[in-house]
Amino acid sequence: MSKAKKSFRPKARAPRGLRDQRGGQLQAERRMLDAIAGVYARYGFELLDTPAFEYADALGKFLPDQDRPNEGVFSFQDDDEQWLSMRYDLTAPLARFVAENYDSLPKPFRRYQWGPVWRNEKPGPGRFRQFIQIDADSVGAPTMAADAEMIAMMADCMDALGIARGDYVVRVNNRKILDGVLECAGLLPEASNYETQKLIVLRAIDKLDRLGADGVMLLLGEGRKDESGDYTKGAGLSPEQIEKVMAFTRAGAADRRETCANLRSAVGTSAIGLEGVEELQEIDRLLDALACGSDRAVFDPSVVRGLGYYTGPVFEVELVFEAENEKGEMTRFGSVGSGGRYDGLVKMFKGVEVPATGCSFGVSRLFAALEALGKTQTDAATGPVVVLVMDKDRAADYQVMTKELRDAGICAEMYMGGGGMRAQMKYADKRGAPLVVIEGEDERAKAEVTLKDLVLGERLSADISDNEEWRSGAQAQVSISRTGLVEGVQKMLMASDAFKGEG
Amino acid sequence: MSKAKKSFRPKARAPRGLRDQRGGQLQAERRMLDAIAGVYARYGFELLDTPAFEYADALGKFLPDQDRPNEGVFSFQDDDEQWLSMRYDLTAPLARFVAENYDSLPKPFRRYQWGPVWRNEKPGPGRFRQFIQIDADSVGAPTMAADAEMIAMMADCMDALGIARGDYVVRVNNRKILDGVLECAGLLPEASNYETQKLIVLRAIDKLDRLGADGVMLLLGEGRKDESGDYTKGAGLSPEQIEKVMAFTRAGAADRRETCANLRSAVGTSAIGLEGVEELQEIDRLLDALACGSDRAVFDPSVVRGLGYYTGPVFEVELVFEAENEKGEMTRFGSVGSGGRYDGLVKMFKGVEVPATGCSFGVSRLFAALEALGKTQTDAATGPVVVLVMDKDRAADYQVMTKELRDAGICAEMYMGGGGMRAQMKYADKRGAPLVVIEGEDERAKAEVTLKDLVLGERLSADISDNEEWRSGAQAQVSISRTGLVEGVQKMLMASDAFKGEG
């Protein structure tokens, strides 16, 4: 390699399935994270940060999660030959952290965390191998109060992001109820094929939206052949058993109490099933106390969630409005966050169950939804005020102006590149500068500066048909006294903000 | 492994040389990052985020950096056999990003970025293999205005963090001047051993603080034997050459212009040396324009900085106050940030030089300094208000109270764990709760709630010798009407804040 050192020129490219983010869009995403973190903090969760990677064994090759393949994780060997894996979520590191510091932590341990996670999966459009999650969890919290709080908090996050009531709903289910339904249908945990059958049933229910009741019934029975001719083996339930499961999926109603009543008859006399229904009833009462009515959170038996480690209530936030996707089609955004109770996760370290519940938002998906709703302000002129360099020898004077603006709290910079007026205006435009400050020879002789309003300028250029009139640009610029610089800029920025507000 | 699946219990531990951070301390560190990011943004820099890893070749195995060993980087192979490396700083990914997006970016491209970087090095006390940097860079900015701005901005960051004038100083040098001094001493770039000799000279000067002038002179000459008997080969300069280099290291003065005059005589007629001095003079003028006087930024020939890729001005922020370290010794914190001009970094992709300059703070070091100065507020009661559960059946009522507090913007939670009064008070204490809300049977009968002020309580317990008097706790708690809950809590929080302010 050393021979190539001088002549080798690597290609500049981000690794496959990874992306860069910048500027106003990234700032807007961070604002969104801040808003969610603010809700989490107001609910009493404390901030935690864990390293990007963990020992592979601690990260959960041993998680009771039958859905996630081990090969989805980035792993490498440390100098001492131990295997390290990059975190694929924020829950597994939390379990390690709690187990490691169990005695010194407050119990319950309530933390929130945000940061990147990594999945070594096939990338695709909008599907990256590094993405951000923002989670909150209560570890050591056995009661339904902790789950109800998660549900209300997810709804409050939607409110905090400006998503209107009616545009989102938190759908809640309880794993125990499905167990009860299966028991009621004669499927018993003692049977050797119980776990396999249950998983097939869960996956079938999860496809209700896409396949409809008929398709799901095939998957619950012998099996189903899809359009491409591929055959999926079914759970092998009898028609009576299938009917019991389907009755369960139809138990959802707009009102939570009505759903509870329907579910109660679906589980029959199953103890585990009844326990699940009673948990939902308790959640209903607590949600009412948190002013989270059926308009914000419903009980929905069709919610199953993929992760095998959930042990009780599971929930997901769904955006129910339609928006245009990249292809111009109107679609629902669907699920943007989820959570549930996982009483077994810390157990792999401690040997004893530690009751826990948590929630997580997928940040890019949620941000895409906010963009579709126009709630991100990413197109506004968010760049700095640019002080143009009209005379290279007077850089110090321009820096004095720039500093005056900054001292007044205005984001401002002196142009630092090469080239003349044209290059500088192009730069200001690319940066999304709201205005530029110009002090050429003429202005200086009169102890004045010219402010050019780029927001108004753009607006006018859209209206003006006469190109000459626009070029004169008279309406979008103003000359003021040099001593009134800060005041003049502030005035122009306030006017731009007002325009932006209208837009 | 699958055999072990059921019985294997991994040890919960963070990987070697990595750490978790949490709570008030982490929040305080984030506030510090926000303050610095705020200064960067006010200077007109835009936010960028790049992935945690890059293709190994793009990350700079080919960087012209003779000081950093390749083995200091975490690397692993992707599925397609390409090598990926975790970023070891934020500058190399920036170079890749700029080269990849060169045509579409505003020029100069001014970005700031913060986030973790990884070094596969031997960990030690306070030395981790993942740590946070916060950088700003101007890429495509050829003039000294960009360097002067970096220097003033680093000083402004110190101000923004509440570090007093006089407690910090930015030390500035210029690589070109040392080249000039060497030329003036008869060492010429054409000589085959020039780069080696120059590196030894740079390293010798870097040790001035530790070894003193005599030790440095040995290293510039034949070599030096240290206390342990280890011998370091010197640069092999003649006594006259050594004197010229030493005169250069003595050129620093409290006043920047005086230093420039001294340096001018140190470089003699060397063209590159004079260019370096003129660059410093330009920086001096621009720093004056930015109100950054010799009390905040000085020119110091002894600043060399380790990185080989700097091509012009180099600078570092030094904290000059003394503070107690973990061993109780009074020491200076030293350098907390640095930067400089690197015109060659983007070249490895583009083939042409792209002038650039930047700065970087080491976040943990800087945070440790803020803690020593008492500027972080990490010991204050920063936890949530805790509403105690006096009767498990009344969880919904307690949640209503909690929600009332949150709706008023107060961080609050209902206790979610098990156990009685003692466990709950212990929890509130561990969380740093400022106060707890109590509504037992008695209070409820009177439509009252009791607020227990934990900040005042702790203060009183320190003053009170009579344990009984303390236990009654009368002074630190107050009963108010249930309807006045929010108002009462707000009043108590304000009083606590006043206490904290005094402390």
Side-chain angles (χ1 to χ4, degrees):
Chain A
M1 286 240 188
S2 70
K3 242 179 97 182
K5 203 164 186 170
K6 287 239 146 64
S7 59
F8 178 84
R9 198 188 293 170
K11 187 166 156 38
R13 76 284 184 216
R16 191 167 57 93
L18 296 174
R19 64 166 170 173
D20 306 302
Q21 287 181 281
R22 63 175 273 230
Q25 180 127 359
L26 178 57
Q27 282 286 14
E29 194 182 287
R30 292 279 164 95
R31 277 197 301 274
M32 185 186 87
L33 285 167
D34 282 346
I36 296 172
V39 175
Y40 288 174
R42 212 156 62 241
Y43 268 79
F45 292 84
E46 67 165 85
L47 186 59
L48 176 71
D49 197 30
T50 62
F53 41 87
E54 298 277 345
Y55 284 123
D57 63 357
L59 197 55
K61 272 186 181 252
F62 301 92
L63 278 182
D65 175 359
Q66 304 172 50
D67 278 326
R68 181 159 27 231
N70 288 336
E71 59 267 29
V73 179
F74 287 104
S75 298
F76 51 96
Q77 236 171 336
D78 204 354
D79 296 338
D80 60 4
E81 313 235 308
Q82 298 205 64
W83 278 94
L84 300 169
S85 292
M86 298 188 75
R87 63 185 184 205
Y88 52 78
D89 70 8
L90 301 175
T91 313
L94 171 66
R96 188 272 304 159
F97 175 81
V98 170
E100 185 175 355
N101 302 282
Y102 196 75
D103 292 335
S104 68
L105 290 178
K107 273 164 268 317
F109 179 61
R110 293 158 62 78
R111 81 88 179 82
Y112 74 92
Q113 183 171 0
W114 69 269
V117 301
W118 294 268
R119 304 258 172 101
N120 191 3
E121 290 166 353
K122 204 174 133 78
R127 190 180 164 87
F128 297 99
R129 303 202 292 171
Q130 170 177 327
F131 52 93
I132 291 176
Q133 291 188 330
I134 180 163
D135 288 21
D137 291 82
S138 286
V139 182
T143 66
M144 286 304 111
D147 300 272
E149 178 190 61
M150 288 292 160
I151 294 159
M153 188 164 72
M154 291 190 100
D156 280 359
C157 285
M158 295 295 102
D159 286 1
L161 297 177
I163 299 174
R165 298 273 170 101
D167 276 353
Y168 69 87
V169 65
V170 189
R171 303 190 184 280
V172 182
N173 195 5
N174 192 325
R175 277 288 166 85
K176 292 177 180 174
I177 298 177
L178 182 72
D179 289 350
V181 169
L182 294 181
E183 187 184 323
C184 180
L187 273 71
L188 298 174
E190 294 78 34
S192 63
N193 64 341
Y194 177 77
E195 287 299 332
T196 319
Q197 268 192 315
K198 181 175 158 184
L199 198 63
I200 298 175
V201 172
L202 278 175
R203 286 190 178 142
I205 295 174
D206 206 23
K207 296 193 177 112
L208 195 56
D209 256 9
R210 202 151 52 79
L211 305 182
D214 290 345
V216 171
M217 286 170 77
L218 290 172
L219 287 172
L220 292 173
E222 286 313 304
R224 177 178 175 275
K225 192 184 280 189
D226 66 18
E227 298 73 36
S228 70
D230 283 349
Y231 187 78
T232 308
K233 196 172 175 301
L237 304 191
S238 72
E240 295 74 30
Q241 290 175 321
I242 292 174
E243 180 42 37
K244 291 214 161 144
V245 173
M246 293 310 290
F248 163 71
T249 66
R250 290 190 300 265
D255 178 74
R256 291 195 296 250
R257 283 171 207 188
E258 196 184 325
T259 310
C260 285
N262 295 344
L263 287 170
R264 190 173 280 277
S265 58
V267 297
T269 58
S270 159
I272 185 84
L274 286 170
E275 195 181 311
V277 175
E278 270 151 32
E279 287 182 358
L280 285 191
Q281 284 175 325
E282 175 70 6
I283 287 174
D284 171 57
R285 276 190 294 275
L286 288 159
L287 285 178
D288 282 345
L290 290 165
C292 190
S294 289
D295 57 328
R296 305 175 71 198
V298 298
F299 295 153
D300 182 344
S302 72
V303 171
V304 292
R305 305 300 312 156
L307 286 171
Y309 63 63
Y310 289 127
T311 55
V314 288
F315 29 88
E316 63 183 32
V317 188
E318 194 188 334
L319 297 181
V320 294
F321 64 93
E322 296 204 321
E324 221 169 86
N325 66 13
E326 310 89 66
K327 296 176 197 152
E329 303 157 346
M330 294 305 282
T331 54
R332 278 196 179 192
F333 266 94
S335 171
V336 291
S338 64
R341 175 163 288 273
Y342 53 98
D343 287 347
L345 200 56
V346 179
K347 188 179 181 181
M348 75 169 200
F349 298 107
K350 301 284 297 172
V352 292
E353 283 204 348
V354 178
T357 186
C359 70
S360 176
F361 285 105
V363 168
S364 19
R365 209 179 163 78
L366 185 53
F367 186 73
L370 285 191
E371 279 190 311
L373 283 170
K375 300 275 182 195
T376 56
Q377 305 172 334
T378 35
D379 3 278
T382 50
V385 170
V386 177
V387 177
L388 303 191
V389 175
M390 307 301 287
D391 174 354
K392 285 189 168 53
D393 293 333
R394 292 191 43 238
D397 294 339
Y398 300 128
Q399 275 297 35
V400 169
M401 291 184 207
T402 311
K403 182 177 156 39
E404 283 174 21
L405 294 172
R406 279 178 198 144
D407 287 348
I410 298 164
C411 294
E413 63 177 65
M414 181 180 90
Y415 179 69
M416 294 278 172
M421 188 71 176
R422 204 185 142 93
Q424 301 195 43
M425 289 305 294
K426 190 176 161 195
Y427 173 80
D429 183 53
K430 277 202 173 181
R431 286 300 308 278
L435 65 94
V436 296
V437 178
I438 302 169
E439 193 208 41
E441 218 174 309
D442 292 351
E443 281 93 353
R444 199 188 177 197
K446 289 189 277 182
E448 285 186 348
V449 288
T450 298
L451 307 182
K452 200 173 172 102
D453 187 331
L454 304 186
V455 178
L456 178 59
E458 198 180 351
R459 198 185 169 89
L460 290 175
S461 79
D463 297 342
I464 293 169
S465 49
D466 179 349
N467 208 15
E468 282 311 306
E469 187 185 342
W470 160 235
R471 275 205 187 133
S472 76
Q475 293 180 71
Q477 70 182 48
V478 58
S479 286
I480 57 169
S481 93
R482 167 66 185 82
T483 52
L485 172 67
V486 169
E487 202 187 335
V489 169
Q490 279 168 333
K491 223 166 115 182
M492 195 172 271
L493 287 176
M494 277 194 294
S496 306
D497 280 340
F499 275 138
K500 279 187 254 166
E502 282 173 42
Chain B
M1 285 242 188
S2 70
K3 241 180 95 181
K5 205 164 185 170
K6 286 239 146 64
S7 58
F8 178 85
R9 198 186 294 169
K11 187 166 156 35
R13 76 282 184 220
R16 192 167 56 91
L18 296 173
R19 64 166 170 171
D20 305 303
Q21 286 180 281
R22 63 174 273 232
Q25 180 126 359
L26 178 56
Q27 283 286 14
E29 194 181 288
R30 293 278 166 96
R31 278 199 299 275
M32 185 185 85
L33 286 167
D34 283 345
I36 296 172
V39 174
Y40 288 174
R42 213 156 60 243
Y43 269 78
F45 292 84
E46 67 165 85
L47 186 60
L48 176 72
D49 198 31
T50 62
F53 41 87
E54 297 278 345
Y55 284 123
D57 63 358
L59 198 54
K61 273 187 182 249
F62 300 93
L63 276 183
D65 176 359
Q66 303 174 50
D67 279 326
R68 179 157 32 228
N70 287 338
E71 58 266 30
V73 179
F74 286 104
S75 297
F76 51 96
Q77 237 172 336
D78 203 354
D79 297 338
D80 59 4
E81 312 236 308
Q82 297 207 65
W83 278 93
L84 300 168
S85 293
M86 297 187 74
R87 64 183 182 204
Y88 53 76
D89 71 8
L90 301 175
T91 313
L94 171 66
R96 187 273 303 157
F97 174 81
V98 170
E100 186 174 354
N101 302 282
Y102 196 75
D103 291 336
S104 68
L105 290 179
K107 271 161 273 303
F109 179 60
R110 293 158 63 79
R111 82 87 178 81
Y112 74 92
Q113 184 171 359
W114 70 268
V117 301
W118 293 269
R119 304 260 172 101
N120 191 3
E121 289 166 354
K122 204 175 134 77
R127 191 181 164 86
F128 297 98
R129 302 202 292 170
Q130 172 178 328
F131 52 93
I132 290 176
Q133 291 189 331
I134 181 164
D135 289 20
D137 292 81
S138 286
V139 182
T143 66
M144 286 305 110
D147 300 271
E149 178 190 61
M150 288 291 161
I151 294 160
M153 187 164 72
M154 291 190 101
D156 281 358
C157 285
M158 296 295 101
D159 286 1
L161 296 176
I163 299 175
R165 300 271 170 103
D167 277 352
Y168 70 87
V169 65
V170 190
R171 301 189 186 281
V172 183
N173 194 6
N174 192 324
R175 277 290 165 83
K176 292 177 180 172
I177 297 178
L178 181 72
D179 289 351
V181 168
L182 294 181
E183 186 185 323
C184 178
L187 273 71
L188 298 175
E190 294 78 33
S192 63
N193 63 341
Y194 178 78
E195 286 299 331
T196 319
Q197 266 192 317
K198 182 175 158 182
L199 198 64
I200 298 174
V201 172
L202 278 174
R203 285 186 177 145
I205 295 173
D206 206 22
K207 295 191 177 116
L208 196 59
D209 257 10
R210 202 152 52 76
L211 305 181
D214 290 346
V216 172
M217 285 171 76
L218 289 172
L219 287 172
L220 293 174
E222 285 314 304
R224 178 178 174 274
K225 192 184 280 186
D226 67 17
E227 299 72 36
S228 71
D230 282 349
Y231 187 77
T232 309
K233 196 172 175 303
L237 304 192
S238 72
E240 294 72 33
Q241 290 176 320
I242 292 174
E243 181 39 40
K244 290 212 161 145
V245 173
M246 294 309 291
F248 164 71
T249 66
R250 289 189 302 264
D255 178 75
R256 290 196 297 250
R257 283 174 207 187
E258 198 184 324
T259 310
C260 285
N262 295 344
L263 287 170
R264 192 172 278 276
S265 58
V267 297
T269 57
S270 158
I272 184 86
L274 286 170
E275 194 180 312
V277 175
E278 269 150 32
E279 286 182 359
L280 285 191
Q281 284 174 326
E282 175 70 6
I283 287 174
D284 170 59
R285 275 190 295 274
L286 288 158
L287 286 179
D288 282 344
L290 290 165
C292 190
S294 289
D295 58 327
R296 304 174 73 199
V298 299
F299 294 153
D300 182 343
S302 73
V303 171
V304 291
R305 305 299 313 156
L307 286 171
Y309 63 63
Y310 289 128
T311 54
V314 290
F315 30 88
E316 64 183 33
V317 188
E318 194 188 333
L319 297 180
V320 294
F321 65 91
E322 296 204 321
E324 224 169 84
N325 66 13
E326 310 90 67
K327 297 177 195 154
E329 303 157 345
M330 295 304 283
T331 53
R332 279 196 177 191
F333 266 95
S335 171
V336 291
S338 63
R341 175 163 287 273
Y342 54 97
D343 288 347
L345 201 56
V346 179
K347 189 180 180 180
M348 75 171 201
F349 298 107
K350 300 286 296 173
V352 292
E353 285 205 346
V354 179
T357 186
C359 70
S360 177
F361 285 105
V363 168
S364 17
R365 208 179 166 75
L366 186 54
F367 186 73
L370 285 190
E371 279 190 312
L373 283 171
K375 300 276 182 195
T376 57
Q377 308 171 331
T378 35
D379 0 281
T382 50
V385 169
V386 178
V387 177
L388 303 192
V389 175
M390 307 301 287
D391 175 352
K392 284 191 169 48
D393 293 333
R394 294 191 42 239
D397 295 340
Y398 300 128
Q399 276 297 35
V400 169
M401 290 185 208
T402 312
K403 182 178 154 41
E404 283 175 20
L405 294 172
R406 279 179 200 143
D407 287 347
I410 299 165
C411 294
E413 64 177 63
M414 181 180 91
Y415 179 69
M416 294 277 171
M421 187 70 176
R422 203 185 143 91
Q424 300 195 44
M425 289 304 293
K426 191 175 158 195
Y427 173 79
D429 182 51
K430 276 201 174 182
R431 286 301 308 278
L435 65 94
V436 296
V437 177
I438 302 169
E439 193 207 42
E441 219 174 308
D442 292 352
E443 282 92 351
R444 197 186 182 198
K446 290 189 279 183
E448 285 186 348
V449 288
T450 297
L451 308 182
K452 201 173 172 105
D453 187 331
L454 304 187
V455 178
L456 179 60
E458 198 181 351
R459 198 186 169 90
L460 289 175
S461 78
D463 297 342
I464 293 168
S465 49
D466 180 348
N467 209 14
E468 283 311 308
E469 185 185 345
W470 162 234
R471 272 199 189 137
S472 76
Q475 294 179 68
Q477 70 181 47
V478 58
S479 286
I480 55 170
S481 93
R482 168 66 185 82
T483 51
L485 172 68
V486 169
E487 202 187 336
V489 168
Q490 279 168 333
K491 221 166 116 182
M492 194 173 273
L493 287 176
M494 274 195 293
S496 306
D497 279 340
F499 275 138
K500 280 187 255 165
E502 281 174 42

